[in-house]
Amino acid sequence: MIVKHASKIIALGVVLLMGWWVYGYFFDKTIACVNVKGITENCYYCGDVRCSVQADKKGDLSLWLDGQTLAQNVRIKADQECPPFTIPTKTLGNGKHSLKVEFADATFNRNKFTSMSDFYVDNMPLQAVFVKTGTPYKVFQGRTLHIQFQVNKDISSAYIHTLSRTFECFPEAKNSKIYECFIPIECEEQPSEYLFSVDIEDKVGNTLHLDNKFQVVVYPFKKEVITVTA
């Protein structure tokens, strides 16, 4: 009797399981959650970029780089990453590129997930030069020192270090490759020659260091003598 009841329970479980599978296969219309690793929208990359894709459902994965097929209908299991793939950016031109990901699950409806990620390649060596060359920088006491330099590509940040302080640099105009910085000089600053350095970092983490110097010149401030009598 116990064996008979156990057999019925097992049979019922199999029927329910098959029914759930059939329902999921024919009526599931949910889109899989797909995670693309290695490439982030609007970020910059250089060298070889290791990527992978993971989905929470079983299905077929296809990839395109700038419209060219990287992979077509590669079957992956649920919650398991596909075999990692490499984007060799050195074979691509510097600038904007796109990675298209398409995932079709294994249901009857072949529910599709599609994403397009734009990214930038930057394998260009970072270079920079001061706009003013040949003539030494000079500034009067109490005035502002204006420093400009030109870079050969988009950068992430630039800072000038001098007089025990740090000053951020900004483009002189939108999309300009010329950066500038305005450094206020105290009225009491000792007339002398001072060093300053520029630290530049591009979008992929390359850094460049520039050194230069400027001279603080005495300014003939007007003087007024006040005599106080007791």
Side-chain angles (χ1 to χ4, degrees):
M1 182 66 70
I2 296 177
V3 174
K4 186 176 181 180
H5 284 298
S7 299
K8 289 182 179 180
I9 293 173
I10 293 173
L12 179 61
V14 171
V15 171
L16 290 174
L17 184 62
M18 291 183 62
W20 179 255
W21 180 87
V22 170
Y23 176 82
Y25 179 76
F26 286 101
F27 299 102
D28 181 13
K29 294 184 179 181
T30 60
I31 305 298
C33 179
V34 180
N35 185 20
V36 181
K37 300 179 180 179
I39 290 292
T40 302
E41 181 78 11
N42 292 326
C43 284
Y44 284 71
Y45 299 90
C46 64
D48 292 337
V49 183
R50 296 279 289 175
C51 304
S52 65
V53 179
Q54 183 178 9
D56 62 352
K57 300 171 70 175
K58 181 175 69 173
D60 297 320
L61 176 69
S62 299
L63 303 168
W64 293 267
L65 177 62
D66 295 333
Q68 301 295 317
T69 302
L70 289 180
Q72 190 73 38
N73 295 327
V74 176
R75 178 56 61 96
I76 61 175
K77 297 181 180 180
D79 298 319
Q80 290 187 5
E81 291 185 357
C82 73
F85 60 95
T86 300
I87 298 179
T89 66
K90 290 185 178 180
T91 64
L92 304 175
N94 291 315
K96 186 177 181 179
H97 298 272
S98 63
L99 176 67
K100 181 181 178 180
V101 177
E102 184 177 281
F103 177 82
D105 65 22
T107 65
F108 177 80
N109 296 306
R110 300 289 288 171
N111 304 303
K112 285 187 178 181
F113 166 91
T114 302
S115 72
M116 183 76 76
S117 298
D118 292 330
F119 65 97
Y120 295 84
V121 169
D122 181 8
N123 285 301
M124 184 186 303
L126 176 60
Q127 297 177 348
V129 62
F130 290 109
V131 172
K132 183 179 180 180
T133 59
T135 305
Y137 288 95
K138 290 185 178 181
V139 60
F140 284 111
Q141 293 171 313
R143 298 298 177 88
T144 300
L145 175 64
H146 183 208
I147 297 174
Q148 290 182 310
F149 60 90
Q150 184 170 4
V151 292
N152 63 329
K153 58 178 179 177
D154 292 337
I155 63 174
S156 176
S157 64
Y159 294 91
I160 291 181
H161 309 279
T162 189
L163 302 175
S164 301
R165 288 181 289 172
T166 298
F167 303 89
E168 188 173 2
C169 305
F170 298 93
E172 67 168 2
K174 186 177 180 180
N175 299 322
S176 175
K177 295 294 190 297
I178 296 179
Y179 280 70
E180 63 185 1
C181 183
F182 295 89
I183 300 174
I185 305 300
E186 299 289 343
C187 296
E188 298 82 8
E189 195 68 62
Q190 185 67 29
S192 183
E193 191 172 73
Y194 297 88
L195 298 177
F196 70 89
S197 62
V198 185
D199 287 323
I200 307 169
E201 183 174 351
D202 66 14
K203 298 287 188 176
V204 291
N206 297 316
T207 59
L208 184 65
H209 183 86
L210 300 176
D211 289 312
N212 209 325
K213 56 188 177 181
F214 67 94
Q215 185 177 1
V216 174
V217 180
V218 175
Y219 184 79
F221 292 105
K222 293 182 178 180
K223 296 181 180 180
E224 184 177 350
V225 179
I226 301 177
T227 303
V228 179
T229 58

